Amino acid sequence: MKKILMLFVLMLTFSAATYAQKVYYKCTGDNVRVRMQPSTSAKLVQYNDVEIVEPGPVYLQTGDFVTSKGVKRNGFVQVYYHGECNLWNVGWVSEKYLKLAKQCTKCKGQGHLGGVCPDCKGEGDEYCCNWTGKKLCPECYGVGYK
């Protein structure tokens, strides 16, 4: 019985560790399509918040960041929008247009070093500070990754 219980705990630990893992990717191409399924024939993901951006399909540009839980299929990576606004949720991007991003050493992935944003005076209601009210890291410009 103890062996079964230990095996169950071990499996639960591994699945929780895998689920919690977050990977950051940086896009290496322009007009890279974000698809609904891991296939070149799949429909494109559409923007959620059309008050901020024009309605239509989501395209990544060089330097855009996305997050992933490490799920890959058919040469595609399942990715999630990385940002404060809810522009889009989840999609699939061809692995050939993504490279692993490295955590910013200056802010240790936080995107800011503390201090009040000089543009919005700490209000946090402007894009100037990614809506945090804190001054952005000068190395990664608020992303936390490079």
Side-chain angles (χ1 to χ4, degrees):
M1 184 66 178
K2 285 184 181 179
K3 288 182 182 179
I4 293 173
L5 182 60
M6 284 299 288
L7 182 61
F8 177 75
V9 170
L10 187 62
M11 287 175 35
L12 189 61
T13 303
F14 282 133
S15 65
T18 302
Y19 179 75
Q21 194 174 46
K22 194 180 213 184
V23 180
Y24 287 81
Y25 285 101
K26 186 174 187 177
C27 183
T28 61
D30 285 324
N31 299 318
V32 175
R33 295 170 180 92
V34 179
R35 299 190 178 274
M36 296 181 81
Q37 299 294 325
S39 167
T40 56
S41 61
K43 291 182 180 180
L44 300 180
V45 171
Q46 302 293 310
Y47 283 108
N48 291 334
D49 195 341
V50 293
E51 291 181 11
I52 296 176
V53 293
E54 292 290 322
V58 175
Y59 293 97
L60 298 179
Q61 304 302 324
T62 300
D64 286 350
F65 288 89
V66 291
T67 60
S68 176
K69 294 178 183 172
V71 178
K72 296 179 182 180
R73 201 176 305 146
N74 300 334
F76 285 80
V77 178
Q78 187 179 40
V79 296
Y80 300 86
Y81 176 73
H82 175 71
E84 295 297 320
C85 298
N86 185 25
L87 296 181
W88 58 276
N89 298 325
V90 62
W92 294 85
V93 174
S94 175
E95 196 169 8
K96 67 182 178 182
Y97 296 110
L98 298 173
K99 75 174 187 174
L100 281 173
K102 296 179 182 173
Q103 189 178 64
C104 177
T105 54
K106 187 165 185 110
C107 69
K108 297 180 178 39
Q110 296 297 307
H112 56 82
L113 301 173
V116 175
C117 173
D119 295 324
C120 69
K121 315 260 187 297
E123 295 284 323
D125 59 357
E126 300 282 337
Y127 187 68
C128 55
C129 60
N130 293 338
W131 292 275
T132 63
K134 299 175 183 175
K135 185 175 181 180
L136 298 181
C137 173
E139 292 292 317
C140 66
Y141 305 103
V143 176
Y145 286 79
K146 297 186 199 181

